[in-house]
Amino acid sequence: MPISTSSAVQRFDDKARESFESVGQTTVYRGELLRHPVYTRLLHWMVALFFFLALFTGFAIYLPWLFRWFTPIFGGGPLSRVMHPWFGVGFVFFFGLQALNWLQPMIWTAADSNWTRNMGKIVSGEAKMDPPDTGFFNAGQKIQFWEIVGGCVAYLITGIILWAGARTFGRISVAISYVVHDISALIMLGGIFIHIYESTFGQPGTFQSMIRGAVSEAWAWTFHPAWYKQVAGRDPQQACEEARRQMTTGSKP
Amino acid sequence: MADRRTLQAEMISAHSGPAPGYGMQRDLEVCKLVDTTTCIGCKACEVACAEWNDLPFSPTTFDNTYQTMPETRWNFWNLIKFNEHQNPDGTIQWLMRKDQCMHCADPGCLAACPADGAIVKYANGIVDFNQENCIGCEFCVSGCPFNIPRFNPETKRVYKCTLCSDRVGEGLEPACIKACPTGCLKFGTKDDMKFIGEERAKQLRENFGWQNAGVYDPQSVGGTHVIYVLHDATDPERYGDLPKNPQIPWSYTVWKWLFKPVLGTFALFGFLGVLFHYVTSGPRRTQPEPPEKDGADANINV
Ligand code: HEM
Ligand code: SF4
Ligand code: SF4
């Protein structure tokens, strides 16, 4: 079974991707397509874990009067403060690996500009299927990806300044960094709500791509038609129509 | 002090004339006056501070000056800063300035601190750190224009001069004041200290030829509860980083009180937004969707 459908380029993490495949497993049933290999899934959930650890410990520092009921979960304010930077480092580290893993499929293309122009129709559900040229990731996913890449850079720079503190970097750089750090967190938090929604309730069938690694063919031709065409070798529109005929007549293939 | 003031009768029923004694007590705010012109650099105040506050011994580094150590430390809150200043006419001045928390009326440390109750300012002007509530983020270090709060890496808490709030609460003067042999340190109400300081500055101007002598009580932080008499009030920087115009960064004033809550709410709209999407337009399903029960095709506009 091919390990990745997203990139055929020889890369530094090819070895890791292979060895993770032998540790975990991905079963692709008939009528399904491989979406995310074990390596990608593992990275994704490490990113999510460290993101939320950093987020929740960050609350203690962001608005403590609002989250004083919450911080005891992490052992109180001082411990939250000690752990927060380490969780942040974990988040940036795993997302860094993920970013390298996904760099190639995340490159912006003309199809993405097209998707963005039709975003209103897609989000409102007026367009039942994504535009035919939508590839492995759609423009919305790419925007979120690059936002997180930018956010990670901002976190890292400002976070190190806040970590070492005013004694090392001077009081003004700390005062500026903390505002940038806050804004970066808020943008990402707003984006994560949308992300979690879209990958669970908003688009049923998506969640299993990060759990089992496979998606149904119907999911693929609906939301990522160009990718479907590439890996299944069939025309997405035709495949969908065929499935509809079978469904309405009740006949099995 | 505060108690006597709050239990002062303000109005008395059926009493002719104003309540006896009302308005008699003067300033509630305390103040320490440091006259740099009479400080001899004896370090008695440093010792008294470490003694009274039970501060553990801190090894010093000798750098060939009359200064005990380069900076104040988490366990050394009161440091006589020594500076050799060369005047334009070539003469040399040895400047001694008692460096400690200034107990600002608008404390930048307090504005910057994110932890509930870690820093309090009392009505008498003393700014105090409560280490049991401190989370050790060191934002106070960045908020303070006087570079005062000091972090203890072991306890992960921040410490500084308390203006001996424990002594002052009992009606005593701070330990450093008690120890000073020259009378260069004085303690009393802010009004009195301001008055004495100004008198001394006038004396310096008129009788000693220090034309620019004055009192340092920077209004950019609302005034301080430690004030200095300086030989040259136009150039406080020469006394070892005493800022002429101390400032609190706007990110601790505007950002914290306005943008923090506003933007926090804004991020929450991400959540409300997806909820709204779910109940209005609903999820997008994979195509084709199964036909509806009555047989009508649910996917007319594919
Ligand atoms: C419980 C929370 C989360 C869930 C349920 C979730 C679910 C998913 C799923 C199902 C995918 C695959 C989408 C696809 O195959 O098209 C995905 C992709 C992705 N996830 Fe998450 N995720 C969560 C948290 C996070 C967090 C915290 C981050 C980073 C801060 C993150 C970053 C990403 C990125 C960058 C992608 C690729 C682009 C995209 O699909 O938007 N995820 N996630
Ligand atoms: S001098 Fe610094 S530590 Fe002291 S009250 Fe002012 S801002 Fe706070
Ligand atoms: S380190 Fe300073 S700013 Fe941070 S919680 Fe402690 S007193 Fe407040």
Side-chain angles (χ1 to χ4, degrees):
Chain A
M1 183 200 298
I3 286 158
S4 165
T5 46
S6 62
S7 158
V9 188
Q10 191 71 29
R11 298 180 328 195
F12 81 101
D13 52 358
D14 274 355
K15 224 174 129 102
R17 292 149 62 83
E18 267 164 51
S19 43
F20 275 109
E21 210 57 35
S22 61
V23 176
Q25 57 166 338
T26 313
T27 315
V28 182
Y29 295 106
R30 190 177 298 167
E32 286 189 334
L33 294 171
L34 170 68
R35 177 83 178 155
H36 296 298
V38 177
Y39 178 65
T40 303
R41 272 141 53 201
L42 184 92
L43 284 183
H44 178 271
W45 292 115
M46 292 311 276
V47 167
L49 175 71
F50 278 95
F51 175 84
F52 285 110
L53 288 173
L55 183 72
F56 292 153
T57 48
F59 283 163
I61 311 167
Y62 184 66
L63 282 177
W65 51 266
L66 192 60
F67 292 104
R68 59 183 316 156
W69 56 275
F70 194 82
T71 36
I73 298 171
F74 292 92
L79 194 61
S80 296
R81 168 60 182 78
V82 171
M83 294 313 292
H84 177 79
W86 292 106
F87 292 147
V89 164
F91 168 67
V92 171
F93 173 76
F94 285 111
F95 190 79
L97 289 178
Q98 187 70 292
L100 294 171
N101 185 27
W102 271 342
L103 212 52
Q104 197 264 341
M106 286 295 182
I107 294 169
W108 194 265
T109 63
D112 298 313
S113 308
N114 178 37
W115 193 96
T116 327
R117 272 192 296 278
N118 290 307
M119 193 158 104
K121 267 195 235 152
I122 298 165
V123 171
S124 68
E126 197 188 321
K128 292 277 175 191
M129 291 170 78
D130 279 55
D133 55 358
T134 307
F136 190 84
F137 287 122
N138 65 39
Q141 293 174 299
K142 290 183 188 180
I143 291 171
Q144 204 225 357
F145 174 84
W146 289 111
E147 191 284 308
I148 298 172
V149 171
C152 279
V153 173
Y155 275 152
L156 200 62
I157 295 170
T158 58
I160 287 171
I161 291 173
L162 293 173
W163 204 355
R167 283 171 296 152
T168 315
F169 288 101
R171 51 192 293 256
I172 299 307
S173 46
V174 168
I176 295 168
S177 294
Y178 122 95
V179 176
V180 175
H181 206 79
D182 278 10
I183 293 175
S184 182
L186 289 168
I187 295 174
M188 221 178 265
L189 179 62
I192 284 305
F193 284 128
I194 300 169
H195 173 70
I196 295 174
Y197 171 69
E198 289 299 350
S199 44
T200 53
F201 299 100
Q203 266 180 205
T206 308
F207 189 54
Q208 59 167 336
S209 74
M210 268 303 159
I211 299 295
R212 290 181 35 233
V215 288
S216 70
E217 288 196 22
W219 183 90
W221 71 54
T222 308
F223 300 121
H224 300 275
W227 173 64
Y228 174 77
K229 190 168 185 174
Q230 181 196 334
V231 289
R234 292 170 69 200
D235 181 69
Q237 197 68 36
Q238 244 172 334
C240 180
E241 285 313 317
E242 206 170 296
R244 185 190 315 286
R245 269 197 303 281
Q246 280 162 10
M247 195 178 263
T248 42
T249 57
S251 67
K252 290 269 166 288
Chain B
M1 234 176 168
D3 285 352
R4 254 186 274 148
R5 172 112 164 200
T6 43
L7 286 181
Q8 169 77 56
E10 188 181 328
M11 286 192 275
I12 299 173
S13 61
H15 186 81
S16 64
Y22 181 66
M24 291 296 284
Q25 191 183 335
R26 297 174 308 144
D27 200 357
L28 175 75
E29 286 178 48
V30 297
C31 183
K32 182 196 295 187
L33 173 67
V34 181
D35 184 353
T36 58
T37 64
T38 51
C39 175
I40 55 170
C42 72
K43 310 333 186 222
C45 55
E46 291 182 2
V47 176
C49 174
E51 188 93 331
W52 174 261
N53 292 298
D54 234 349
L55 300 176
F57 172 73
S58 188
T60 61
T61 20
F62 182 62
D63 56 358
N64 284 312
T65 73
Y66 289 103
Q67 194 167 312
T68 309
M69 53 180 77
E71 273 194 329
T72 56
R73 293 180 182 160
W74 76 264
N75 57 354
F76 205 86
W77 302 340
N78 173 5
L79 177 70
I80 300 297
K81 286 229 170 162
F82 171 80
N83 277 279
E84 203 173 74
H85 177 74
Q86 189 162 18
N87 292 308
D89 62 6
T91 55
I92 294 254
Q93 243 185 311
W94 277 5
L95 301 175
M96 307 280 182
R97 178 176 71 86
K98 183 180 180 298
D99 186 31
Q100 83 270 275
C101 172
M102 301 293 283
H103 298 273
C104 314
D106 290 333
C109 57
L110 190 144
C113 177
D116 194 348
I119 302 179
V120 289
K121 185 187 162 227
Y122 298 110
N124 67 7
I126 295 182
V127 178
D128 225 349
F129 285 12
N130 285 335
Q131 278 79 18
E132 67 269 28
N133 294 329
C134 169
I135 62 170
C137 64
E138 296 183 74
F139 280 147
C140 51
V141 180
S142 151
C144 170
F146 298 97
N147 186 20
I148 292 303
R150 291 284 180 266
F151 185 67
N152 175 355
E154 232 160 81
T155 60
K156 305 233 185 292
R157 309 289 153 100
V158 163
Y159 302 81
K160 69 161 188 69
C161 154
T162 66
L163 206 72
C164 287
S165 52
D166 48 351
R167 292 176 58 91
V168 173
E170 294 298 320
L172 300 169
E173 80 271 66
C176 54
I177 312 286
K178 200 168 168 65
C180 180
T182 68
C184 112
L185 300 183
K186 292 186 175 56
F187 184 77
T189 66
K190 174 93 191 232
D191 284 348
D192 283 356
M193 295 305 109
K194 203 71 199 262
F195 177 77
I196 296 173
E198 291 295 355
E199 284 293 294
R200 171 64 180 159
K202 194 165 146 229
Q203 192 180 44
L204 288 166
R205 282 193 300 268
E206 287 171 3
N207 304 343
F208 294 87
W210 295 104
Q211 273 102 24
N212 293 324
V215 175
Y216 182 82
D217 180 25
Q219 294 307 304
S220 56
V221 290
T224 52
H225 294 91
V226 171
I227 61 177
Y228 293 107
V229 174
L230 304 177
H231 311 83
D232 185 352
T234 61
D235 180 25
E237 262 99 6
R238 78 164 69 151
Y239 294 83
D241 303 327
L242 192 60
K244 189 164 185 173
N245 187 23
Q247 294 289 344
I248 306 168
W250 62 269
S251 56
Y252 295 124
T253 47
V254 184
W255 171 256
K256 255 184 80 155
W257 299 117
L258 188 63
F259 289 103
K260 262 200 171 189
V262 169
L263 273 159
T265 316
F266 184 76
L268 219 114
F269 275 114
F271 178 68
L272 292 178
V274 297
L275 211 68
F276 186 73
H277 184 268
Y278 191 71
V279 296
T280 54
S281 58
R284 299 179 66 228
R285 300 190 185 283
T286 54
Q287 300 299 315
E289 289 171 58
E292 280 176 25
K293 220 169 179 181
D294 62 358
D297 196 324
N299 312 300
I300 307 143
N301 54 349
V302 175

